[in-house]
């Protein structure tokens, strides 16, 4: 379905970003991976799906590196048709104890990077009159949780950016939407499970149940595969007129 299209997924060496990159690759899209850590395993997993793949290690907190990554993608594959703004980090602390450098990093990586990648991707998408911008927000783009000030502020900002991008492209073949997962058991959340397990002196399995029980009525983690399938749906013709939504996939978290 996506043969001949190119998808750039930020933060795709792990977790949700990798799941989305694999789902888009399975539909035939060329993939540009980005992120830290091991990139050989993720790259091989995309190649195994028969898709073309390239990697750029831009640090999404640095504007010049984002610009270099977007230029690299255009050189490799012509243009970016599908931009998935996914890179993100978390830090948990009360506002008065929140380290200033963590606040700045979260705003830069979880919010500003999406603005920069989007502003650089839109001209070619508009020219082709087809494009998809998919922003990985969170239930924390819709509701708050204590001790996550920077994350909640960045994700609410990302939902706002999604709406403005959708409005500015509303009469074109370019759409922009946000995906808002609840808990997904990736390294980002495993750290919070480990912290709960250590703080309460309970097993990892018990800590997972407690984490889910606080917020997610389904008592199930959403999976990167499920999120990948939603991203693929946003790329289908059926989604041509879905614009500016913040679509939660959260086991009922924000229905409460
Ligand atoms: P993860 O930690 O598994 O993956 C994060 C990815 O971002 C990795 O590839 C990492 O290398 C990359 N990354 C981190 N800092 C970067 C930087 N400065 N520059 C480039 N890449 C960088 O996390 P995840 O859970 O897969 O999260 C992906 C996105 O989904 C994030 O935006 C996160 O906020 C969001 N999200 C996650 C959950 C969850 O429960 N895991 C829920 C809602 C939303």
């Amino acid at each position: 379905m996506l043969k001949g299209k190119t998808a750039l997924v930020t933060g795709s060496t792990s977790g949700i970003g990798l799941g989305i990159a694999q789902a888009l690759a399975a539909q035939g899209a060329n993939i540009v991976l980005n992120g830290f850590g091991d990139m050989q395993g993720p790259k091989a997993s995309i190649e195994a799906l028969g898709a073309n793949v390239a990697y750029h290690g831009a640090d999404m907190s640095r504007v010049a590196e984002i610009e270099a990554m977007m230029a690299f993608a255009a050189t490799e594959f012509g243009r970016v048709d599908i931009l998935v703004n996914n890179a993100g980090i978390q830090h948990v602390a009360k506002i008065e104890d929140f380290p200033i450098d963590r606040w700045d990093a979260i705003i830069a990586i979880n919010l500003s990077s999406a603005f920069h990648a989007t502003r650089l991707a839109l001209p070619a998408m508009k020219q082709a009159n087809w494009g998809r911008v998919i922003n990985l927000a969170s239930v924390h783009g819709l509701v708050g949780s204590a001790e996550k000030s920077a994350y909640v502020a960045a994700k609410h900002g990302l939902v706002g950016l999604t709406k403005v991008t959708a409005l500015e492209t509303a009469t074109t073949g370019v759409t922009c939407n946000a995906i808002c997962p609840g808990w997904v058991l990736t390294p980002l959340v495993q750290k919070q499970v480990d912290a709960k397990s250590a703080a309460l002196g309970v097993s990892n399995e018990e800590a997972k149940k407690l984490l889910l029980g606080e917020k997610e009525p389904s008592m199930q983690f959403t999976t990167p595969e499920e999120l990948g399938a939603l991203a693929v749906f946003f790329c289908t013709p059926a989604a041509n007129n879905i614009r500016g939504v913040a679509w939660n996939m959260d086991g009922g978290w924000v229905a409460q």
Side-chain angles (χ1 to χ4, degrees):
M1 190 188 78
L2 298 175
K3 196 100 204 139
K5 302 268 196 258
T6 296
L8 186 153
V9 186
T10 69
S12 48
T13 48
S14 167
I16 296 168
L18 181 56
I20 290 177
Q22 289 167 340
L24 295 170
Q27 296 298 323
N30 307 317
I31 303 293
V32 182
L33 293 173
N34 156 259
F36 298 150
D38 169 49
M39 47 71 89
Q40 290 304 342
K43 210 167 166 225
S45 76
I46 301 289
E47 279 161 355
L49 292 163
N52 298 315
V53 58
Y55 166 82
H56 194 282
D59 179 338
M60 297 304 288
S61 68
R62 295 171 189 264
V63 180
E65 294 186 28
I66 298 171
E67 288 173 346
M69 177 185 72
M70 297 305 289
F72 166 82
T75 307
E76 285 289 305
F77 294 120
R79 68 164 178 269
V80 173
D81 303 286
I82 301 162
L83 170 66
V84 184
N85 289 310
N86 166 81
I89 58 169
Q90 176 63 286
H91 187 83
V92 181
K94 288 194 190 311
I95 291 176
E96 59 269 37
D97 302 327
F98 214 90
I100 291 166
D101 71 321
R102 288 300 82 200
W103 172 276
D104 289 344
I106 289 175
I107 300 298
I109 297 164
N110 297 21
L111 176 58
S112 301
S113 76
F115 160 70
H116 292 297
T118 302
R119 73 176 170 79
L120 295 163
L122 281 181
M125 288 181 180
K126 283 183 175 173
Q127 200 180 9
N129 201 32
W130 196 92
R132 295 290 186 259
V133 179
I134 301 172
N135 292 327
L136 252 293
S138 165
V139 284
H140 286 120
L142 304 170
V143 295
S145 289
E147 303 192 5
K148 294 185 176 174
S149 54
Y151 190 86
V152 170
K155 295 299 186 180
H156 274 69
L158 190 55
V159 169
L161 177 66
T162 302
K163 291 175 184 171
V164 174
T165 308
L167 291 174
E168 292 186 9
T169 53
T171 58
T172 75
V174 180
T175 71
C176 177
N177 293 292
I179 297 179
C180 299
W183 294 124
V184 187
L185 194 57
T186 64
L188 183 143
V189 162
Q190 187 59 49
K191 274 191 212 153
Q192 294 172 61
V193 172
D194 293 344
K196 196 171 267 304
S197 158
L200 302 179
V202 297
S203 70
N204 228 266
E205 281 315 301
E206 193 55 33
K208 281 180 199 163
K209 279 195 202 130
L210 288 170
L211 206 75
L212 287 167
E214 278 169 19
K215 302 280 188 183
E216 196 145 327
S218 68
M219 292 299 285
Q220 281 174 35
F221 290 101
T222 300
T223 65
E225 291 74 21
E226 289 163 347
L227 293 162
L230 180 55
V232 167
F233 171 68
F234 279 139
C235 297
T236 63
N240 278 351
N241 209 25
I242 300 178
R243 296 173 185 271
V245 306
W247 189 316
N248 43 310
M249 198 185 245
D250 64 353
W253 184 321
V254 303
Q256 298 170 94

